[in-house]
Amino acid sequence: MQTELSNTLGVEHAVFGFTPFPAVAAAISRAGGFGVLGAVRYTAPDELKRDLDWIEAHVDGKPYGLDVVMPAKKVEGVTEADVEAMIPEGHRQFVKDTLAKYGVPELAEGEASGWRITGWMEQVARNQLDVAFDYPIRLLANALGSPPADVVARAHERNVLVAALAGSARHALKHKEGGIDIVVAQGYEAGGHTGDIASMVLTPEVVDAVAPLPVLAAGGIGSGQQVAAALALGAQGVWLGSLWLTTTEAELPSPKLIEKLLAAGSGDTVRSRALTGKPARQLRTEWTDAWDSADGPGTLPMPLQGLLVADAVSRIQKYEVEPLLGTPVGQIVGRMTSERSVQAVFDDLTRGFEKAVDRINRIAGRSGQ
């Protein structure tokens, strides 16, 4: 599964794996793909440094990258406390009432939330980059589109390619104008923040719009046959995230959550603003239903929503409150039916890719050539 882009980066397979778990990122790179560590959960630079040190020690010299959540427009002088003060009391009460309804215990006294969306704040992301640029990362991806121009220039000075996610051809063109090197065309099926255009439509539109920039296809891809389809549509690789959640190297906080993922079908997800304030595909739960209900107060814009629900999400995860327990995940969850190692996932992807290519060759009358 090689393309011009994978050859440029020196990887065996044009499979880019996004994950919040260092062990998964390293395993992806060792398996011949390109591991990308999600940085949004790292609010302390020392924590990111610790995990990048670990990746360096376990990646066997293979290339890897970092994904940040960084707004393109700079906001001066806004602190987390300033944002917290903007959250209406009615929304805080709704969270308290919902947790009480399901009997979710409080965190222990003095115990801080283990989940907090603050990586969106520009200074937090810049602190992450101050750490990351001391490591030999080969790719910087931004989940909120093109990063600020000075960040792109800083990456290019270090021979680091810059990628940006796009949910439409219009967004992709803005990324091209912003000087990025790779566009990730993320379809409606994808987990996490995603738009409303399906991958089969989006990928060729973006490929045509930004040519000759390389495009990675994302959303609804979890088999080698789907990788082959993405390359046939003009992509130079695939960007996979959800597929790694049920790998043995992943560090999901809850055995019950793993069980829910393995049991879920492709129709058991929903695009909801309940987690961050932006539409994000995730497991449908009674928590997402409560926020999307007409009886609720409605979600707040990003980043208010993420800060509002941070402690609640930590409590739900810690105490494994099954009806409310969820995670960002794409529609490909229906194929995630067993726990496997990252290497086993790659073995399956390569076998499926070979079968798809052989099938097309037979159709085209090229078998044996």
Side-chain angles (χ1 to χ4, degrees):
M1 297 185 288
Q2 293 184 336
T3 64
E4 183 179 347
L5 179 60
S6 66
N7 290 334
T8 296
L9 289 168
V11 296
E12 182 180 359
H13 303 300
V15 174
F16 294 70
F18 164 79
T19 174
F21 307 123
V24 176
I28 290 168
S29 290
R30 288 198 308 271
F34 191 99
V36 182
L37 179 66
V40 70
R41 67 191 180 102
Y42 294 98
T43 56
D46 287 347
E47 294 175 355
L48 179 59
K49 183 179 186 305
R50 175 201 65 205
D51 284 355
L52 288 176
D53 282 340
W54 190 95
I55 289 177
E56 272 291 299
H58 292 84
V59 81
D60 293 348
K62 302 294 180 63
Y64 62 93
L66 191 76
D67 179 278
V68 297
V69 179
M70 193 173 196
K73 295 181 180 179
K74 191 168 185 176
V75 180
E76 299 279 4
V78 178
T79 67
E80 184 176 337
D82 295 331
V83 177
E84 287 270 14
M86 301 176 190
I87 298 174
E89 185 56 38
H91 283 71
R92 295 187 187 276
Q93 189 61 49
F94 179 76
V95 170
K96 293 177 183 177
D97 291 345
T98 304
L99 295 178
K101 176 182 176 182
Y102 290 92
V104 183
E106 297 276 356
L107 294 174
E109 185 175 352
E111 183 178 0
S113 165
W115 185 93
R116 204 154 183 82
I117 295 280
T118 54
W120 65 272
M121 298 180 72
E122 178 165 340
Q123 191 53 53
V124 173
R126 286 184 179 275
N127 290 341
Q128 293 166 349
L129 294 178
D130 288 341
V131 172
F133 283 142
D134 286 337
Y135 292 81
I137 62 171
R138 293 295 312 280
L139 175 72
L140 172 65
N142 187 28
L144 290 183
S146 301
D150 69 295
V151 171
V152 176
R154 190 178 175 191
H156 287 166
E157 288 170 1
R158 291 162 173 78
N159 197 32
V160 175
L161 297 180
V162 181
L165 274 66
S168 70
R170 178 172 56 86
H171 292 154
L173 279 170
K174 288 184 178 180
H175 299 340
K176 183 178 181 180
E177 293 167 0
I180 64 95
D181 306 291
I182 302 166
V183 174
V184 181
Q186 180 159 288
Y188 171 85
E189 309 94 326
H193 296 131
T194 188
D196 54 11
I197 304 175
S199 298
M200 184 64 75
V201 174
L202 179 66
T203 301
E205 284 187 355
V206 171
V207 167
D208 290 344
V210 302
L213 285 186
V215 172
L216 301 177
I221 300 172
S223 72
Q225 291 88 338
Q226 290 165 320
V227 174
L231 300 189
L233 292 172
Q236 286 204 32
V238 293
W239 178 274
L240 310 182
S242 299
L243 195 62
W244 317 110
L245 290 174
T246 52
T247 56
T248 53
E249 293 90 346
E251 303 164 16
L252 283 178
S254 163
K256 285 187 179 178
L257 179 55
I258 296 173
E259 292 175 6
K260 290 187 75 171
L261 287 169
L262 296 177
S266 56
D268 292 328
T269 68
V270 63
R271 279 175 79 238
S272 171
R273 298 177 184 268
L275 190 63
T276 68
K278 284 183 174 289
R281 186 170 297 285
Q282 54 203 281
L283 279 181
R284 182 173 183 174
T285 66
E286 293 184 32
W287 176 256
T288 61
D289 286 349
W291 280 103
D292 296 338
S293 168
D295 298 331
T299 56
L300 298 171
M302 190 180 198
L304 300 182
Q305 183 72 16
L307 292 172
L308 169 65
V309 304
D311 288 344
V313 171
S314 289
R315 289 164 61 186
I316 291 166
Q317 290 181 346
K318 177 178 179 178
Y319 299 110
E320 296 189 299
V321 184
E322 196 277 338
L324 306 179
L325 191 61
T327 186
V329 70
Q331 291 181 332
I332 200 64
V333 70
R335 295 185 63 96
M336 296 157 51
T337 57
S338 64
E339 291 187 78
R340 301 178 293 167
S341 69
V342 167
Q343 183 61 61
V345 171
F346 266 89
D347 291 343
D348 184 60
L349 289 174
T350 53
R351 283 192 298 266
F353 181 82
E354 290 170 358
K355 288 180 180 178
V357 172
D358 287 345
R359 184 182 303 118
I360 294 301
N361 281 335
R362 288 195 301 272
I363 292 171
R366 298 190 180 116
S367 181
Q369 295 183 15

mmCIF file of all heavy atoms in Angstrom, residues 274-307:
data_model
loop_
_atom_site.group_PDB
_atom_site.id
_atom_site.type_symbol
_atom_site.label_atom_id
_atom_site.label_comp_id
_atom_site.label_asym_id
_atom_site.label_seq_id
_atom_site.Cartn_x
_atom_site.Cartn_y
_atom_site.Cartn_z
ATOM 1 N N ALA A 274 -22.672 17.357 22.087
ATOM 2 C CA ALA A 274 -22.667 17.168 23.540
ATOM 3 C C ALA A 274 -21.272 17.144 24.135
ATOM 4 O O ALA A 274 -21.085 17.510 25.297
ATOM 5 C CB ALA A 274 -23.397 15.875 23.890
ATOM 6 N N LEU A 275 -20.273 16.726 23.381
ATOM 7 C CA LEU A 275 -18.937 16.548 23.940
ATOM 8 C C LEU A 275 -18.118 17.827 23.927
ATOM 9 O O LEU A 275 -17.482 18.167 24.922
ATOM 10 C CB LEU A 275 -18.200 15.447 23.185
ATOM 11 C CG LEU A 275 -16.877 14.979 23.797
ATOM 12 C CD1 LEU A 275 -17.109 14.370 25.171
ATOM 13 C CD2 LEU A 275 -16.196 13.972 22.875
ATOM 14 N N THR A 276 -18.121 18.547 22.804
ATOM 15 C CA THR A 276 -17.228 19.710 22.678
ATOM 16 C C THR A 276 -17.928 20.996 22.242
ATOM 17 O O THR A 276 -17.321 22.062 22.311
ATOM 18 C CB THR A 276 -16.126 19.429 21.642
ATOM 19 O OG1 THR A 276 -16.715 19.343 20.335
ATOM 20 C CG2 THR A 276 -15.384 18.138 21.958
ATOM 21 N N GLY A 277 -19.156 20.892 21.773
ATOM 22 C CA GLY A 277 -19.831 22.076 21.240
ATOM 23 C C GLY A 277 -19.831 22.119 19.728
ATOM 24 O O GLY A 277 -20.601 22.864 19.122
ATOM 25 N N LYS A 278 -18.965 21.326 19.081
ATOM 26 C CA LYS A 278 -18.977 21.161 17.630
ATOM 27 C C LYS A 278 -19.514 19.778 17.304
ATOM 28 O O LYS A 278 -19.376 18.851 18.109
ATOM 29 C CB LYS A 278 -17.562 21.331 17.045
ATOM 30 C CG LYS A 278 -17.075 22.768 16.967
ATOM 31 C CD LYS A 278 -15.703 22.815 16.314
ATOM 32 C CE LYS A 278 -15.261 24.251 16.102
ATOM 33 N NZ LYS A 278 -16.035 24.938 15.038
ATOM 34 N N PRO A 279 -20.133 19.604 16.126
ATOM 35 C CA PRO A 279 -20.652 18.272 15.782
ATOM 36 C C PRO A 279 -19.530 17.239 15.775
ATOM 37 O O PRO A 279 -18.540 17.386 15.049
ATOM 38 C CB PRO A 279 -21.231 18.470 14.371
ATOM 39 C CG PRO A 279 -21.509 19.934 14.278
ATOM 40 C CD PRO A 279 -20.444 20.603 15.085
ATOM 41 N N ALA A 280 -19.676 16.216 16.595
ATOM 42 C CA ALA A 280 -18.667 15.160 16.696
ATOM 43 C C ALA A 280 -19.375 13.819 16.735
ATOM 44 O O ALA A 280 -20.291 13.620 17.547
ATOM 45 C CB ALA A 280 -17.808 15.346 17.948
ATOM 46 N N ARG A 281 -18.958 12.907 15.862
ATOM 47 C CA ARG A 281 -19.584 11.584 15.859
ATOM 48 C C ARG A 281 -19.066 10.775 17.034
ATOM 49 O O ARG A 281 -17.863 10.706 17.283
ATOM 50 C CB ARG A 281 -19.318 10.855 14.539
ATOM 51 C CG ARG A 281 -20.083 9.522 14.443
ATOM 52 C CD ARG A 281 -20.010 8.917 13.060
ATOM 53 N NE ARG A 281 -20.637 9.738 12.043
ATOM 54 C CZ ARG A 281 -21.955 9.861 11.878
ATOM 55 N NH1 ARG A 281 -22.787 9.204 12.689
ATOM 56 N NH2 ARG A 281 -22.435 10.621 10.919
ATOM 57 N N GLN A 282 -19.980 10.127 17.740
ATOM 58 C CA GLN A 282 -19.658 9.377 18.947
ATOM 59 C C GLN A 282 -20.710 8.302 19.160
ATOM 60 O O GLN A 282 -21.743 8.287 18.475
ATOM 61 C CB GLN A 282 -19.617 10.319 20.152
ATOM 62 C CG GLN A 282 -20.879 11.142 20.331
ATOM 63 C CD GLN A 282 -20.669 12.425 21.118
ATOM 64 O OE1 GLN A 282 -20.602 12.395 22.329
ATOM 65 N NE2 GLN A 282 -20.550 13.548 20.416
ATOM 66 N N LEU A 283 -20.441 7.389 20.084
ATOM 67 C CA LEU A 283 -21.462 6.415 20.434
ATOM 68 C C LEU A 283 -22.714 7.135 20.912
ATOM 69 O O LEU A 283 -22.631 8.090 21.684
ATOM 70 C CB LEU A 283 -20.971 5.492 21.555
ATOM 71 C CG LEU A 283 -20.061 4.324 21.200
ATOM 72 C CD1 LEU A 283 -19.728 3.548 22.461
ATOM 73 C CD2 LEU A 283 -20.709 3.400 20.169
ATOM 74 N N ARG A 284 -23.866 6.669 20.458
ATOM 75 C CA ARG A 284 -25.105 7.237 20.958
ATOM 76 C C ARG A 284 -25.387 6.644 22.338
ATOM 77 O O ARG A 284 -25.365 5.431 22.524
ATOM 78 C CB ARG A 284 -26.258 6.931 20.013
ATOM 79 C CG ARG A 284 -27.569 7.543 20.487
ATOM 80 C CD ARG A 284 -28.675 7.379 19.478
ATOM 81 N NE ARG A 284 -29.883 8.035 19.951
ATOM 82 C CZ ARG A 284 -31.000 8.174 19.243
ATOM 83 N NH1 ARG A 284 -31.044 7.692 18.008
ATOM 84 N NH2 ARG A 284 -32.042 8.793 19.748
ATOM 85 N N THR A 285 -25.620 7.503 23.313
ATOM 86 C CA THR A 285 -25.883 7.078 24.684
ATOM 87 C C THR A 285 -27.030 7.900 25.250
ATOM 88 O O THR A 285 -27.524 8.850 24.611
ATOM 89 C CB THR A 285 -24.640 7.303 25.569
ATOM 90 O OG1 THR A 285 -24.400 8.729 25.674
ATOM 91 C CG2 THR A 285 -23.405 6.626 24.986
ATOM 92 N N GLU A 286 -27.430 7.583 26.443
ATOM 93 C CA GLU A 286 -28.460 8.391 27.100
ATOM 94 C C GLU A 286 -27.935 9.781 27.458
ATOM 95 O O GLU A 286 -28.713 10.710 27.666
ATOM 96 C CB GLU A 286 -28.997 7.645 28.320
ATOM 97 C CG GLU A 286 -29.766 6.385 27.922
ATOM 98 C CD GLU A 286 -30.408 5.660 29.084
ATOM 99 O OE1 GLU A 286 -30.804 6.321 30.068
ATOM 100 O OE2 GLU A 286 -30.517 4.422 29.008
ATOM 101 N N TRP A 287 -26.616 9.919 27.515
ATOM 102 C CA TRP A 287 -26.002 11.237 27.714
ATOM 103 C C TRP A 287 -26.176 12.096 26.461
ATOM 104 O O TRP A 287 -26.619 13.252 26.541
ATOM 105 C CB TRP A 287 -24.521 11.062 28.049
ATOM 106 C CG TRP A 287 -23.723 12.308 28.202
ATOM 107 C CD1 TRP A 287 -22.836 12.828 27.304
ATOM 108 C CD2 TRP A 287 -23.709 13.200 29.321
ATOM 109 N NE1 TRP A 287 -22.266 13.981 27.788
ATOM 110 C CE2 TRP A 287 -22.781 14.230 29.033
ATOM 111 C CE3 TRP A 287 -24.379 13.229 30.550
ATOM 112 C CZ2 TRP A 287 -22.511 15.272 29.922
ATOM 113 C CZ3 TRP A 287 -24.110 14.276 31.441
ATOM 114 C CH2 TRP A 287 -23.194 15.275 31.120
ATOM 115 N N THR A 288 -25.861 11.554 25.279
ATOM 116 C CA THR A 288 -26.046 12.336 24.056
ATOM 117 C C THR A 288 -27.530 12.604 23.814
ATOM 118 O O THR A 288 -27.906 13.692 23.367
ATOM 119 C CB THR A 288 -25.444 11.625 22.831
ATOM 120 O OG1 THR A 288 -26.077 10.362 22.633
ATOM 121 C CG2 THR A 288 -23.949 11.412 23.003
ATOM 122 N N ASP A 289 -28.381 11.619 24.116
ATOM 123 C CA ASP A 289 -29.817 11.818 23.940
ATOM 124 C C ASP A 289 -30.323 12.961 24.814
ATOM 125 O O ASP A 289 -31.172 13.757 24.393
ATOM 126 C CB ASP A 289 -30.579 10.540 24.287
ATOM 127 C CG ASP A 289 -30.444 9.460 23.220
ATOM 128 O OD1 ASP A 289 -29.939 9.774 22.122
ATOM 129 O OD2 ASP A 289 -30.834 8.317 23.492
ATOM 130 N N ALA A 290 -29.811 13.047 26.054
ATOM 131 C CA ALA A 290 -30.257 14.101 26.974
ATOM 132 C C ALA A 290 -29.895 15.477 26.423
ATOM 133 O O ALA A 290 -30.718 16.409 26.456
ATOM 134 C CB ALA A 290 -29.625 13.895 28.344
ATOM 135 N N TRP A 291 -28.691 15.615 25.885
ATOM 136 C CA TRP A 291 -28.266 16.906 25.359
ATOM 137 C C TRP A 291 -28.980 17.269 24.058
ATOM 138 O O TRP A 291 -29.214 18.454 23.775
ATOM 139 C CB TRP A 291 -26.752 16.919 25.131
ATOM 140 C CG TRP A 291 -25.996 17.148 26.401
ATOM 141 C CD1 TRP A 291 -25.335 16.225 27.148
ATOM 142 C CD2 TRP A 291 -25.858 18.396 27.081
ATOM 143 N NE1 TRP A 291 -24.792 16.818 28.259
ATOM 144 C CE2 TRP A 291 -25.081 18.149 28.244
ATOM 145 C CE3 TRP A 291 -26.304 19.701 26.839
ATOM 146 C CZ2 TRP A 291 -24.751 19.162 29.149
ATOM 147 C CZ3 TRP A 291 -25.971 20.705 27.739
ATOM 148 C CH2 TRP A 291 -25.195 20.435 28.876
ATOM 149 N N ASP A 292 -29.327 16.259 23.270
ATOM 150 C CA ASP A 292 -29.974 16.524 21.989
ATOM 151 C C ASP A 292 -31.492 16.603 22.104
ATOM 152 O O ASP A 292 -32.183 16.887 21.130
ATOM 153 C CB ASP A 292 -29.585 15.440 20.978
ATOM 154 C CG ASP A 292 -28.093 15.462 20.663
ATOM 155 O OD1 ASP A 292 -27.467 16.526 20.869
ATOM 156 O OD2 ASP A 292 -27.550 14.433 20.227
ATOM 157 N N SER A 293 -32.007 16.364 23.298
ATOM 158 C CA SER A 293 -33.450 16.402 23.524
ATOM 159 C C SER A 293 -33.976 17.834 23.495
ATOM 160 O O SER A 293 -33.297 18.787 23.904
ATOM 161 C CB SER A 293 -33.777 15.757 24.873
ATOM 162 O OG SER A 293 -35.118 16.019 25.241
ATOM 163 N N ALA A 294 -35.214 17.965 23.041
ATOM 164 C CA ALA A 294 -35.862 19.282 23.036
ATOM 165 C C ALA A 294 -36.086 19.801 24.448
ATOM 166 O O ALA A 294 -36.285 21.007 24.658
ATOM 167 C CB ALA A 294 -37.194 19.200 22.298
ATOM 168 N N ASP A 295 -36.064 18.903 25.436
ATOM 169 C CA ASP A 295 -36.266 19.298 26.830
ATOM 170 C C ASP A 295 -34.996 19.841 27.476
ATOM 171 O O ASP A 295 -35.053 20.404 28.577
ATOM 172 C CB ASP A 295 -36.758 18.096 27.659
ATOM 173 C CG ASP A 295 -38.109 17.577 27.168
ATOM 174 O OD1 ASP A 295 -38.882 18.395 26.632
ATOM 175 O OD2 ASP A 295 -38.360 16.375 27.311
ATOM 176 N N GLY A 296 -33.854 19.653 26.823
ATOM 177 C CA GLY A 296 -32.590 20.099 27.394
ATOM 178 C C GLY A 296 -32.327 21.571 27.107
ATOM 179 O O GLY A 296 -33.063 22.223 26.350
ATOM 180 N N PRO A 297 -31.245 22.120 27.683
ATOM 181 C CA PRO A 297 -30.939 23.543 27.492
ATOM 182 C C PRO A 297 -30.221 23.831 26.186
ATOM 183 O O PRO A 297 -29.993 24.995 25.840
ATOM 184 C CB PRO A 297 -30.027 23.852 28.681
ATOM 185 C CG PRO A 297 -29.302 22.571 28.914
ATOM 186 C CD PRO A 297 -30.297 21.475 28.603
ATOM 187 N N GLY A 298 -29.857 22.780 25.450
ATOM 188 C CA GLY A 298 -29.064 22.964 24.239
ATOM 189 C C GLY A 298 -27.591 23.051 24.586
ATOM 190 O O GLY A 298 -27.216 23.454 25.690
ATOM 191 N N THR A 299 -26.749 22.644 23.645
ATOM 192 C CA THR A 299 -25.316 22.672 23.897
ATOM 193 C C THR A 299 -24.759 24.081 23.720
ATOM 194 O O THR A 299 -25.355 24.930 23.044
ATOM 195 C CB THR A 299 -24.580 21.715 22.948
ATOM 196 O OG1 THR A 299 -24.895 22.063 21.600
ATOM 197 C CG2 THR A 299 -24.978 20.273 23.234
ATOM 198 N N LEU A 300 -23.606 24.307 24.343
ATOM 199 C CA LEU A 300 -22.904 25.581 24.235
ATOM 200 C C LEU A 300 -21.872 25.498 23.115
ATOM 201 O O LEU A 300 -21.449 24.403 22.724
ATOM 202 C CB LEU A 300 -22.202 25.893 25.556
ATOM 203 C CG LEU A 300 -23.123 26.064 26.769
ATOM 204 C CD1 LEU A 300 -22.297 26.138 28.057
ATOM 205 C CD2 LEU A 300 -23.983 27.319 26.623
ATOM 206 N N PRO A 301 -21.436 26.636 22.590
ATOM 207 C CA PRO A 301 -20.408 26.598 21.542
ATOM 208 C C PRO A 301 -19.071 26.143 22.116
ATOM 209 O O PRO A 301 -18.821 26.221 23.320
ATOM 210 C CB PRO A 301 -20.347 28.045 21.051
ATOM 211 C CG PRO A 301 -20.846 28.856 22.201
ATOM 212 C CD PRO A 301 -21.882 28.010 22.876
ATOM 213 N N MET A 302 -18.210 25.652 21.238
ATOM 214 C CA MET A 302 -16.849 25.315 21.619
ATOM 215 C C MET A 302 -16.099 26.600 21.987
ATOM 216 O O MET A 302 -16.250 27.607 21.285
ATOM 217 C CB MET A 302 -16.151 24.624 20.443
ATOM 218 C CG MET A 302 -14.811 24.005 20.783
ATOM 219 S SD MET A 302 -14.081 23.225 19.313
ATOM 220 C CE MET A 302 -12.866 22.151 20.051
ATOM 221 N N PRO A 303 -15.363 26.630 23.090
ATOM 222 C CA PRO A 303 -14.963 25.549 23.983
ATOM 223 C C PRO A 303 -15.808 25.421 25.243
ATOM 224 O O PRO A 303 -15.466 24.635 26.120
ATOM 225 C CB PRO A 303 -13.537 25.947 24.344
ATOM 226 C CG PRO A 303 -13.630 27.430 24.472
ATOM 227 C CD PRO A 303 -14.597 27.869 23.378
ATOM 228 N N LEU A 304 -16.890 26.217 25.356
ATOM 229 C CA LEU A 304 -17.665 26.219 26.598
ATOM 230 C C LEU A 304 -18.208 24.835 26.938
ATOM 231 O O LEU A 304 -18.160 24.398 28.093
ATOM 232 C CB LEU A 304 -18.826 27.217 26.498
ATOM 233 C CG LEU A 304 -18.453 28.689 26.245
ATOM 234 C CD1 LEU A 304 -19.713 29.557 26.212
ATOM 235 C CD2 LEU A 304 -17.501 29.192 27.304
ATOM 236 N N GLN A 305 -18.741 24.137 25.918
ATOM 237 C CA GLN A 305 -19.336 22.831 26.177
ATOM 238 C C GLN A 305 -18.309 21.841 26.716
ATOM 239 O O GLN A 305 -18.574 21.092 27.661
ATOM 240 C CB GLN A 305 -19.981 22.281 24.905
ATOM 241 C CG GLN A 305 -20.707 20.952 25.076
ATOM 242 C CD GLN A 305 -22.000 21.074 25.852
ATOM 243 O OE1 GLN A 305 -22.542 22.173 26.032
ATOM 244 N NE2 GLN A 305 -22.514 19.950 26.311
ATOM 245 N N GLY A 306 -17.129 21.820 26.121
ATOM 246 C CA GLY A 306 -16.101 20.893 26.563
ATOM 247 C C GLY A 306 -15.690 21.124 28.009
ATOM 248 O O GLY A 306 -15.485 20.173 28.775
ATOM 249 N N LEU A 307 -15.576 22.375 28.387
ATOM 250 C CA LEU A 307 -15.230 22.684 29.766
ATOM 251 C C LEU A 307 -16.377 22.347 30.714
ATOM 252 O O LEU A 307 -16.165 21.856 31.822
ATOM 253 C CB LEU A 307 -14.848 24.153 29.892
ATOM 254 C CG LEU A 307 -13.541 24.559 29.202
ATOM 255 C CD1 LEU A 307 -13.363 26.070 29.238
ATOM 256 C CD2 LEU A 307 -12.355 23.875 29.859
#
